[in-house]
């Protein structure tokens, strides 16, 4: 890559502007006229046939937000990518894209990203860095020194091949893989049981009964987009096939919020629960298992259901304990699930880390046995329990090289930093599942002097090669021979166009199941509180700490932003005298941690939960985020970072990285007000406070599966039409746009929230403004709790955009007609008319409108390249809200008019609809009786929110259907 990079436009300071203005005035006085500076725009001399200025183009690629390898379509406008969509043809993700994937485009335009290599902390150039690194590596190779390449899971077969070739040049070269969110225990358990270290591909779409043991597979476990798609397929009311899902977990997770039966347990109970489940299944199968059965009604019912669904069930554990994973595997073996709901013939390649090898490397570093260490895609100085020690050990290594894109904790400890290009700037590939290969193609030239790891390794080997040539060479030699196409160029072009290709792979050889390797786990008695460390849906392991969109994304369960919190059960908080926002000190052998408390319903009373990934050096940039004239001290912690790093409380046990611990909790006497976007958990009025005869508003309407099959209209409250102040309805001679949200399908994953933010240029306002309830998201997801029986917490998620009311109460109160009704059913907002009275917001019963209190920062010229040119960037003092992505509607109208046709169903997809992995959002023309949205608007499950107000919203909701046996119909008020 060239050292030169694109410079952002120069901004004039106040003094420079006054100087320029004064010079212009003097020139005008002297000559009688003045001319503004001339800026020339040169058109393409040879314009490509397929490129039309102002029109978007889409390129198939692969998301690099994590190792799941979801297929993407990158929207490019005039040479710059501005939006990521899911590739509907991709065999794994099938069109969905998570919040992290949607937000990853912001990393491309991150002005804090390194643009040149660093040499001992100072900027350098590639010639100098390459010469020094190559010389040192040659010396180490000559004396047979130890070289270690430390990385996260590498799903790119080309990169893996180049790493192997690079390390092959050393007598003692080794590739060590570790994942901060480790799944090493699953692979190690299958190595002991089947003789093959593999991660099975889970198939939730084939499972009729699912037993989850602290596995958050709809949020952060392995491949949540793929699993959400599958989970949705297995819960299809139209096909009358609804899987039964039981979840055991210590904290309320996103997956637990969707379970049909959820039980709060201590994290050290899951092993004994799995033991008891396996004992019941073994007895039913006539197999021996050395564990006495203790009474437990929950497990009796679950074992019975699993046994009735042999080959159509799935037991999944999120623990990183080999013994627990062995028990889960044995349960699946007893149920005949391998080859049906678990695939070992085409295993997943998404998490290949080996905790034992990581521990070995730490020992080598302590003994000064490593002469060179290269680090790619990991930040061990931050995300390991002994991170500070790891940084010190790296500094002692004679040669240390990091490929980090930013100055993270590990990069600061390395001698050289050779920044890797963003995945939207570079060629690469991926194989997330055996046989499913994907292409990653660049959609923009590198914005700085960065290059790929493949190119760097090739240069240091003395055989320079571009990433493009490396990928093509690997595909020609290793993938092309396994398919019927005879012409490689045609095969390659099709793969690049489609974004993926599937190749038949021979199944891996494995031995028969070794029952002797499965050992029961006895109940454990521990004193103190049990700490649960988990990845948040936004930060994951901390890789996204640079991303303000994800910091401002409310947690789907707690609804907190810009913080990680210590979640406590209400009974536990009352016992300790802790209130919301009180700072608590969590002490363990690994150290102490102080965090604000959050009172979380549904959590086990002896568990305290803390999210990982916060407190990173990469979040120091946000110390001054938000309006500069406001107090910004509450935006971040005392050390200038967002949240606190909980990784020091991780621990190594039995060769595995463990995410639980025994801790002591105490109050500190300090407080920190949390930035919560939802302060209520339910809208049900307590009986003692309710007026006589009052009934709760049925915000989320629900029913049971048995009641639904008996009467599809069950649970839906009918409301008679009210007298109308409007003489007639609005006439709609053309399309009338509407939306239906299936609450039974929605998981609350929040992908739609980030998709809306990326599409509609929604600003980040910072923690202080969110704390003041001034967040700007046009789409929010409300979370409601209900308690159908004592101790059982059920959750419903409700996406809430502007309802585009036909009798819109906002339109009647606007004194300047800034909010008006369009002829296709939209409630439009005319920004130029708005004077900021906020009458419309006060009159909106759904509170779906947002007021721009300040001119939020758009000073970063590089980051501004992400802005969608089809959507106005709003200024201070105007009201804004969801528009059903009207810019997409207009584009579809133009395209249809050009073809001389009407807009067909599916031609317009809103950003939230397109990103949803659960396919919960349906959008289209309500005047088309054959459209998807019209069919769902006529569904017996459909109801309108607050329909008794007679505002006639254009958004409908489909009821939640609970898969439980009781016939009682309830509402999540």
């Amino acid at each position: 890559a060239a050292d030169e990079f694109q410079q952002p436009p120069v901004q004039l300071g106040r003094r420079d502007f006054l100087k320029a203005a004064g010079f212009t005035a003097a020139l005008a006085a002297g000559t009688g006229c003045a001319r503004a500076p001339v800026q020339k725009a040169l058109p393409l001399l040879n314009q490509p046939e397929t490129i039309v200025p102002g029109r978007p183009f889409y390129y198939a690629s692969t998301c690099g937000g994590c190792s799941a390898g979801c297929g993407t379509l990158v929207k490019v406008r005039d040479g710059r990518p501005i939006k990521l969509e899911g590739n509907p043809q991709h065999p794994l993700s099938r069109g969905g894209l998570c919040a992290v994937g949607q937000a990853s485009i912001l990393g491309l335009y991150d002005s804090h990203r390194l643009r040149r290599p660093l040499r001992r902390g100072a900027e350098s150039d590639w010639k100098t860095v390459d010469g020094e690194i190559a010389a040192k590596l040659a010396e180490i190779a000559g004396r047979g020194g130890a070289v270690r390449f430390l990385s996260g899971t590498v799903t790119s077969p080309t990169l893996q091949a180049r790493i192997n070739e690079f390390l092959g040049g050393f007598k003692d070269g080794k590739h060590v893989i570790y994942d901060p969110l480790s799944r090493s225990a699953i692979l190690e358990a299958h190595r002991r049981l089947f003789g093959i270290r593999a991660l099975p591909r889970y198939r939730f779409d084939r499972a009729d009964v699912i037993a989850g043991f602290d596995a958050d597979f709809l949020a952060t476990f392995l491949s949540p987009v793929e699993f959400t798609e599958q989970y949705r397929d297995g819960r299809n009311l139209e096909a009358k096939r609804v899987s039964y899902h039981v979840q055991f977990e210590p904290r309320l997770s996103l997956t637990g919020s969707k379970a049909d039966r959820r039980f709060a347990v201590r994290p050290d109970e899951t092993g004994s629960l799995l033991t008891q489940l396996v004992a019941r299944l073994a007895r039913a199968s006539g197999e021996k298992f050395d564990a006495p059965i203790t009474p437990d009604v929950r497990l009796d019912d679950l074992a019975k259901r699993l046994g009735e669904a042999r080959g159509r069930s799935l037991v999944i554990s999120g623990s990183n304990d080999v013994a627990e994973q062995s028990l889960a595997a044995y349960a699946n073996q007893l149920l005949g699930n391998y080859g049906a709901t678990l695939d070992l013939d085409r295993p997943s390649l998404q998490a290949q880390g080996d905790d034992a090898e990581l521990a070995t490397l730490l020992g080598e570093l302590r003994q000064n046995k490593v002469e060179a260490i290269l680090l790619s895609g990991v930040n061990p100085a931050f995300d390991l329990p002994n991170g500070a020690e790891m940084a010190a050990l790296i500094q002692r290594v004679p040669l240390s090289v990091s490929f980090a894109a930013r100055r993270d904790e590990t990069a600061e400890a390395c001698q050289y930093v050779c920044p890797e290009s963003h995945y939207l700037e570079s060629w690469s590939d991926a194989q997330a599942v055996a046989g499913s290969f994907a292409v990653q193609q660049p959609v923009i030239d590198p914005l700085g002097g960065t290059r790929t790891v493949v190119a760097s390794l090739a240069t240091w080997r003395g055989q320079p090669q571009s990433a493009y040539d490396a990928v093509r060479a690997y595909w020609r030699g290793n993938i092309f021979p396994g398919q019927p196409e005879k012409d490689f160029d045609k095969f390659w072009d099709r793969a690049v166009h489609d974004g993926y290709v599937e190749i038949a792979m021979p199944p891996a050889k494995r031995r028969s199941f070794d029952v002797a390797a499965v050992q029961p786990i006895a109940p454990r008695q521990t004193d103190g509180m049990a700490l649960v460390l988990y990845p948040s849906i936004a930060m994951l392991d901390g890789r996204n700490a640079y991303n303000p969109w994800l910091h401002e994304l409310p947690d789907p369960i707690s609804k907190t932003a810009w913080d990680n919190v210590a979640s406590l059960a209400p009974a536990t908080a009352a016992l300790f005298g802790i209130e919301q926002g009180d700072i608590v000190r969590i002490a363990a052998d690994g150290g102490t941690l102080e965090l604000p408390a959050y009172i979380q319903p549904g959590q086990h009373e002896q568990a305290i939960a803390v999210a990982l990934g916060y407190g990173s050096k990469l979040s120091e940039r946000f110390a001054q985020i938000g309006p500069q004239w406001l107090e910004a001290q509450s935006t971040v912690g005392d050390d200038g970072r967002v949240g606190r790093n909980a990784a020091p409380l991780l621990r190594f046990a039995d060769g595995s990285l463990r995410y639980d611990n025994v801790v002591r909790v105490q109050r500190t006497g300090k407080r920190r007000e949390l930035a919560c976007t939802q302060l209520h958990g339910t809208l049900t009025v307590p009986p003692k406070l309710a007026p006589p005869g009052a009934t709760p508003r049925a915000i989320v309407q629900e029913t049971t599966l048995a009641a639904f099959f008996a009467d599809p209209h069950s649970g839906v409250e009918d409301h008679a039409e009210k007298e109308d102040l409007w003489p007639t309805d609005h006439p709609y001679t053309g399309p009338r746009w509407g939306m239906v949200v299936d609450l039974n399908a929605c998981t609350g994953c929040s992908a739609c929230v980030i998709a809306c933010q990326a599409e509609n240029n929604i600003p980040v306002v910072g923690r202080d403004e969110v704390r003041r309830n001034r967040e700007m998201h046009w789409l929010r997801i409300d979370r409601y709790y209900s308690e159908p029986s004592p101790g059982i917490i059920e959750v419903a998620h409700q996406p809430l955009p502007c309802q585009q009311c036909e009798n819109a109460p906002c339109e009647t109160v606007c004194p300047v007609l800034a909010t008006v009704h369009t002829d296709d059913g939209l409630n439009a907002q005319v920004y130029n008319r708005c004077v900021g009275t906020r009458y419309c917001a006060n009159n909106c019963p759904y509170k779906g409108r947002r007021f721009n209190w300040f001119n939020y920062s758009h000073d970063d010229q590089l980051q501004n390249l992400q802005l969608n040119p089809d959507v106005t960037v709003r200024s201070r003092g105007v009201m804004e809200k969801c528009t059903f992505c009207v810019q997409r509607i207009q584009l579809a109208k133009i395209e249809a008019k050009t073809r001389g046709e009407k807009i067909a169903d599916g031609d317009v997809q809103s950003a939230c609809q397109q990103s949803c992995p659960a396919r919960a959002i349906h959008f289209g023309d309500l005047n088309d009786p054959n459209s998807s949205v019209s069919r769902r608007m006529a569904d017996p499950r459909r109801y309108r929110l607050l329909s008794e107000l007679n505002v006639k919203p254009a958004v409908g909701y489909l009821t939640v259907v609970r898969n439980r046996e009781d016939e009682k119909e309830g509402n999540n008020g």
Side-chain angles (χ1 to χ4, degrees), residues 726-942:
W726 279 259
T728 57
D729 291 339
H730 293 280
Y732 300 107
T733 56
R736 181 191 176 193
W737 304 107
M739 179 178 288
V740 174
V741 181
D742 188 348
L743 299 182
N744 200 57
C746 175
T747 65
C749 72
S750 302
C752 54
V753 178
I754 298 297
C756 177
Q757 184 161 22
E759 173 72 19
N760 293 295
N761 302 336
I762 296 173
V764 172
V765 301
R767 183 187 188 279
D768 195 63
E769 288 294 275
V770 174
R771 184 180 59 82
R772 299 168 189 257
N773 301 317
R774 293 175 177 175
E775 67 273 9
M776 294 298 294
H777 291 130
W778 288 3
L779 172 66
R780 73 175 190 266
I781 301 180
D782 291 339
R783 177 264 303 124
Y784 296 110
Y785 302 119
S786 63
E787 192 172 7
S789 58
I792 301 297
I793 297 295
E794 290 183 341
V795 183
H797 303 279
Q798 184 176 56
L800 203 146
C802 170
Q803 302 290 290
Q804 311 292 342
C805 305
E806 186 170 354
N807 295 342
C810 56
E811 296 176 11
T812 59
V813 295
C814 181
V816 292
L817 292 179
T819 175
V820 295
H821 213 77
T822 68
D823 59 3
D824 52 2
L826 298 183
N827 176 241
Q829 184 73 23
V830 184
Y831 297 138
N832 286 345
R833 294 180 188 169
C834 182
V835 295
T837 63
R838 293 185 290 129
Y839 294 165
C840 56
N842 292 334
N843 216 38
C844 174
Y846 307 101
K847 302 307 172 190
R849 305 175 76 85
R850 297 286 182 260
F851 183 65
N852 233 321
W853 288 90
F854 302 102
N855 277 326
Y856 295 107
S857 176
H858 286 100
D859 297 333
D860 191 328
Q861 296 299 310
L862 182 60
Q863 187 171 307
N864 287 350
L865 293 176
Q866 185 278 325
L867 295 174
N868 186 353
D870 294 328
V871 179
T872 302
V873 177
R874 283 75 61 188
S875 59
R876 179 186 183 187
V878 302
M879 191 65 66
E880 55 185 80
K881 63 171 194 67
C882 165
T883 65
F884 277 171
C885 290
V886 66
Q887 67 277 4
R888 297 188 174 200
I889 295 174
Q890 293 301 112
L891 179 61
K893 286 181 178 179
I894 295 171
E895 296 287 345
K897 185 176 181 180
T898 302
R899 298 191 305 266
E901 304 171 354
K902 292 184 178 180
I903 298 178
D905 187 35
D907 283 354
V908 186
Q909 284 187 304
S910 61
C912 56
Q913 173 195 18
Q914 193 166 6
S915 68
C916 181
R919 305 187 301 279
I921 301 175
H922 306 272
F923 174 77
D925 181 9
L926 293 174
N927 281 349
D928 179 1
N930 298 318
S931 67
S932 172
V933 71
S934 291
R935 293 196 303 271
R936 283 164 177 80
M937 196 64 84
D939 192 299
R941 289 198 294 135
R942 194 267 302 159

Side-chain angles (χ1 to χ4, degrees), residues 30 126 128 171 177 209 304 439 463 484 497 499 533 539 545 589 633 657 670 681 713 754 780 811 853 901 925:
W126 285 109
T128 301
K171 184 178 180 180
I177 302 174
V209 180
K304 179 177 179 293
V439 177
Q463 300 174 359
H497 175 271
L533 298 169
M539 290 297 105
D589 293 340
Q633 60 190 17
L657 191 61
K670 299 180 287 185
H713 199 266
I754 298 297
R780 73 175 190 266
E811 296 176 11
W853 288 90
E901 304 171 354
D925 181 9

Side-chain angles (χ1 to χ4, degrees), residues 29 36 102 151 161 173 226 345 447 651 718 728 795 822 824 882 951 959:
Q102 291 283 346
S151 77
E226 178 188 5
D345 292 333
L447 298 179
R651 62 191 178 96
D718 292 321
T728 57
V795 183
T822 68
D824 52 2
C882 165
V951 295
T959 57

Side-chain angles (χ1 to χ4, degrees), residues 528-655:
M529 293 285 290
L531 174 66
V532 180
L533 298 169
Y534 67 95
S536 75
I537 203 168
M539 290 297 105
L540 297 180
D541 54 13
R543 69 186 66 188
N544 302 318
Y546 72 90
N547 197 309
W549 285 357
L550 294 174
H551 277 297
E552 195 149 300
L553 177 68
D555 181 84
I557 299 297
S558 69
K559 296 302 174 185
T560 57
W562 291 103
D563 257 323
N564 58 337
V565 295
S567 296
L568 295 163
T572 307
L575 179 65
F576 284 96
I578 296 172
E579 297 181 354
Q580 192 99 312
D582 285 351
I583 303 292
V584 296
R585 181 177 294 111
I586 305 169
D589 293 340
T592 60
L593 185 66
E594 292 188 0
L595 285 172
Y598 181 84
I599 313 303
Q600 178 60 65
Q603 183 154 314
H604 193 275
E605 295 178 3
Q606 295 180 11
I608 180 169
V610 176
L612 295 165
Y614 287 84
S616 169
K617 176 182 175 63
L618 300 179
S619 65
E620 291 178 346
R621 67 181 73 181
F622 302 122
Q624 298 297 325
I625 197 168
Q628 300 300 312
W629 51 87
L630 289 181
E631 293 291 334
Q633 60 190 17
S634 61
T635 300
V636 293
D638 298 334
D639 58 357
R641 301 182 181 184
V642 178
R644 291 288 182 269
N645 184 13
L649 299 184
L650 294 168
R651 62 191 178 96
F652 279 99
D654 300 326

Side-chain angles (χ1 to χ4, degrees), residues 489-555:
D489 289 332
K490 290 183 179 179
F491 165 74
W492 172 255
D493 290 344
R494 187 180 77 249
V496 172
H497 175 271
D498 296 345
Y500 71 95
V501 64
E502 292 200 276
I503 305 296
M505 303 285 285
K509 295 182 180 180
R510 62 178 188 269
R511 65 168 184 253
S512 58
F513 193 92
D514 185 2
V515 178
V518 182
Q519 299 297 322
I521 299 176
R524 302 170 185 169
Q525 298 293 332
T526 55
D527 298 327
M529 293 285 290
L531 174 66
V532 180
L533 298 169
Y534 67 95
S536 75
I537 203 168
M539 290 297 105
L540 297 180
D541 54 13
R543 69 186 66 188
N544 302 318
Y546 72 90
N547 197 309
W549 285 357
L550 294 174
H551 277 297
E552 195 149 300
L553 177 68
D555 181 84

